[in-house]
Amino acid sequence: MKKFSRLFAHLLNMLIILGIFLTACTFETGSALPEPTLPSEQNNHKKSYDELVVGYSQVGAESEWRTGNTASLKEAAESLGVELLFSDGQQQQENQIKAIRTFIAQRVDVIGVSPVVETGWDSVFQEAKDAGIPIILVDRRAKVSDDLYTTYLGSDFIEEGKNAALVMVDLLEGEGKIIELVGTIGSAPAIDRAAGFRQVIQAYPDIQIIASQPGDFTRAKGEEAMADMLQLFGDDIDAVYAHNDDMAIGAIRAIEAYGLRPGQDIKIVSIDAIRDAFQMMIDGKLNATVECNPLLGPQFFDLALKVVNNEPVPKWIPSEEGVFFPEDAAEVMPSRRY
Ligand code: GZL
Ligand code: ZN
C-alpha cells in the first residue's frame, strides 16, 4: 500500500509541475489568456469620450436660459460621442433624486446635477459616493459637504447680483423704490443674487427694495407677481430687479397692461442675457441684463472625462460673464446663441 501511495504522490507532483510549466509558457509567449490587469493598471486605462457614460439630472425647462443650457449639453454630448442619459426634473427635487438613483443603478461613469434647490441632497449624493460614482455640480450649487461632490461648474451668483445693483444705482441716481422678482425659492441663484444685490444697495439709504415677490424664474409667474405689485404700489414703483430675464419679460407685459412704460417710467435690470432680453433692450423696455452663461456643455464633458480618469480638477470652475446695455444690444444680439 505504502509503495502505491508514494508512486501516486510522485505522479501528482509531476502533473502539477507540468501544469505550471504549460501555463507559464502560454503566459510568457504571447498568452492565449488575457493579460491579468493589476489593480494599478486598471486605473491607468484612460477612458475616451466615446467610452464615457454620463447621467445628467437637469432642473427643468423653466426658462430660455435653461433650454439654452440643455441644448449646449446635448450638442456637446453628440459631437463628442458621449453616451448621455438625460433627465428633465420639471423643477421638482424628487424627480431629480429619482433620476440620480436610476443613474446609480445603471452604473454610469459620472453624474452631472443642476440642483433645483440647495438643500436635501446629502443622502442621494452619499449613495452615489458609496457606489463609487462621482458627482459634478453644474450651474447651481448644493449645500453638501465637500466630499459628496467632485467639482462645481457654474457662476458666481453673488457677483451677478452685485453687478445688477451697480447698474441699478446708476439708473436710479442714488434713490428709488424697487420691486424684486425672486427666482425659485431655495435655489442658489435666487439666494445669492438677492444677497449680492443687497451688499451693494445697503450703501444707498435712499434706495429700498419695497417688496420681494417669487416668480420661480418663469415668464408667467413673473407677469403675475408684477401685476400684484402694481396693484399694491402702482406709481410708487421706480424700478424692478428681476433674478432672470424671463421674469423681467413677464413684468414688462404687466407694466404695459397697467399703462406705464417699462424701461422709462419703471427701470428694469435682470440677469441671464438671453436673446429676448436683447430685443427688449432694443425696444427700450429693459435697461440692462447681466450675463449668466448657460453654454456649459463642452466644459462639463471635459470635466467629466478628467474626473473619470482620476485627473485633478479645481473644486469650482466659475463661468466668465459680463453685463449688456441697450446701446450695444443691436450689435451684440446676432451673436447670442440662447
Ligand atoms: C442660473 C440658472 C437660473 C437662470 C434662470 O445659472 O440656474 O435658472 O438664471 C434659470 O433663467 O431658470
Ligand atoms: Zn451665471
Side-chain angles (χ1 to χ4, degrees):
M1 191 50 187
K2 243 183 157 178
K3 207 171 161 205
F4 173 73
S5 59
R6 237 205 332 270
L7 178 65
F8 180 69
H10 186 63
L11 263 179
L12 191 64
N13 275 340
M14 292 305 289
L15 277 175
I16 289 168
I17 291 164
L18 183 64
I20 291 170
F21 177 70
L22 276 178
T23 344
C25 342
T26 46
F27 181 65
E28 270 156 12
T29 54
S31 67
L33 301 170
E35 298 271 326
T37 47
L38 305 173
S40 58
E41 278 174 39
Q42 246 156 359
N43 286 347
N44 291 346
H45 168 65
K46 293 281 181 205
K47 276 191 182 265
S48 52
Y49 279 124
D50 56 8
E51 293 172 304
L52 197 58
V53 180
V54 176
Y56 196 93
S57 169
Q58 178 61 294
V59 167
E62 72 284 358
S63 64
E64 291 300 305
W65 188 99
R66 186 65 54 197
T67 47
N69 179 242
T70 294
S72 173
L73 289 160
K74 290 183 172 175
E75 284 159 18
E78 181 78 24
S79 67
L80 294 167
V82 171
E83 186 181 347
L84 174 63
L85 310 177
F86 185 88
S87 161
D88 173 340
Q90 293 165 339
Q91 285 190 291
Q92 301 301 320
Q93 181 171 34
E94 62 268 22
N95 292 343
Q96 290 198 277
I97 290 173
K98 259 187 238 142
I100 294 168
R101 291 202 164 111
T102 307
F103 297 146
I104 294 170
Q106 289 167 313
R107 307 284 324 136
V108 299
D109 295 314
V110 59
I111 296 172
V113 187
S114 177
V116 62
V117 291
E118 287 192 332
T119 53
W121 303 97
D122 300 83
S123 50
V124 73
F125 282 15
Q126 185 61 52
E127 289 165 35
K129 181 177 181 184
D130 295 344
I133 300 176
I135 295 251
I136 296 177
L137 294 177
V138 183
D139 159 37
R140 295 186 184 178
R141 283 183 181 282
K143 267 202 181 342
V144 293
S145 58
D146 274 0
D147 66 300
L148 290 182
Y149 74 97
T150 306
T151 182
Y152 164 59
L153 166 62
S155 303
D156 181 341
F157 298 126
I158 291 184
E159 199 55 33
E160 293 173 349
K162 287 163 83 172
N163 285 335
L166 289 169
V167 173
M168 186 64 89
V169 164
D170 239 19
L171 284 167
L172 293 177
E173 290 163 356
E175 62 96 23
K177 293 183 174 64
I178 300 170
I179 296 294
E180 179 185 33
L181 296 179
V182 179
T184 305
I185 300 297
S187 69
I191 293 167
D192 289 353
R193 284 172 181 167
F197 190 86
R198 284 164 175 74
Q199 275 178 28
V200 169
I201 64 162
Q202 68 181 356
Y204 298 87
D206 297 333
I207 292 181
Q208 292 113 25
I209 295 174
I210 54 174
S212 290
Q213 200 66 7
D216 211 17
F217 285 129
T218 70
R219 292 189 189 195
K221 290 185 184 168
E223 180 173 358
E224 202 183 307
M226 192 61 205
D228 293 347
M229 293 298 100
L230 285 160
Q231 289 309 314
L232 274 177
F233 302 102
D235 295 355
D236 271 358
I237 300 170
D238 298 305
V240 172
Y241 167 45
H243 289 182
N244 82 329
D245 293 334
D246 285 79
M247 293 191 293
I249 289 165
I252 285 167
R253 284 192 202 127
I255 293 167
E256 287 177 324
Y258 185 79
L260 290 173
R261 296 168 302 165
Q264 298 175 62
D265 304 326
I266 296 183
K267 305 293 186 195
I268 306 176
V269 176
S270 66
I271 299 178
D272 279 352
I274 62 172
R275 286 179 66 88
D276 285 355
F278 282 81
Q279 190 54 56
M280 288 295 128
M281 289 197 288
I282 291 166
D283 298 347
K285 298 178 180 177
L286 178 68
N287 300 93
T289 178
V290 174
E291 184 183 23
C292 177
N293 180 10
L295 306 179
L296 303 175
Q299 265 183 297
F300 167 64
F301 288 109
D302 171 63
L303 271 175
L305 193 67
K306 285 193 171 100
V307 165
V308 168
N309 287 330
N310 296 310
E311 290 167 24
V313 294
K315 202 68 183 170
W316 175 21
I317 298 92
S319 325
E320 295 302 317
E321 299 169 344
V323 183
F324 293 101
F325 297 93
E327 49 272 25
D328 31 49
E331 179 204 338
V332 171
M333 185 171 167
S335 67
R336 302 301 295 174
R337 290 175 40 216
Y338 60 90

